[in-house]
Amino acid sequence: QVQLVESGGGLVQTGGSLRLSCTASGRTGSSYIMGWFRQAPGKEREFISAITGSRAGTEYADSVKGRFTISRDKLRNNVWLQMSSLKPEDTAVYYCAASSFIATMRRGECEFWGQGTQVTVSS
């Protein structure tokens, strides 16, 4: 089992920045792929970004490419999502997730999820 805890959400103005953190505990020695999703009210959960375990390759949704940056520490216990140039449409609950495969990560079929952290971008 892997436990994921997000932090760093909050209220920010349009154009501002936030850095989300995800701390993993439990069986973190496994090479899980870590990712971020978000879900806005009335909308489906959306894949945002992922980072692989082996070579730290990254993927981003087109909606955040160039504005968000995912990173992780070498021990793979912490994952961050640096969000810049935030827009009101970025308002959502952001979730950290872990998956064994990138394909299942992309589909949102992750094995472990955090509880989420709210990000609100005011116009």
Side-chain angles (χ1 to χ4, degrees):
Q1 290 290 321
V2 175
Q3 294 77 43
L4 304 173
V5 178
E6 305 96 332
S7 61
L11 174 64
V12 64
Q13 292 185 336
T14 297
S17 299
L18 278 176
R19 190 190 196 205
L20 303 184
S21 299
C22 174
T23 299
S25 60
R27 295 184 60 187
T28 56
S30 302
S31 56
Y32 287 108
I33 296 167
M34 301 297 295
W36 289 93
F37 291 77
R38 68 185 180 188
Q39 187 167 21
K43 295 188 177 181
E44 293 187 353
R45 184 175 55 200
E46 175 188 15
F47 168 79
I48 295 300
S49 183
I51 186 165
T52 63
S54 56
R55 298 184 179 181
T58 58
E59 293 191 10
Y60 298 93
D62 288 341
S63 58
V64 304
K65 199 171 293 183
R67 300 188 298 123
F68 290 11
T69 302
I70 190 171
S71 59
R72 69 190 303 173
D73 64 1
K74 291 184 179 181
L75 294 178
R76 303 173 185 172
N77 291 335
N78 296 285
V79 180
W80 299 278
L81 185 68
Q82 178 67 46
M83 307 185 295
S84 302
S85 303
L86 284 163
K87 308 173 183 179
E89 49 265 42
D90 293 318
T91 295
V93 177
Y94 283 69
Y95 297 92
C96 178
S99 180
S100 298
F101 306 102
I102 187 62
T104 52
M105 169 68 73
R106 292 176 187 138
R107 295 196 299 265
E109 298 170 359
C110 301
E111 292 149 76
F112 305 103
W113 293 89
Q115 82 288 350
T117 185
Q118 176 71 45
V119 172
T120 303
V121 184
S122 62
S123 57

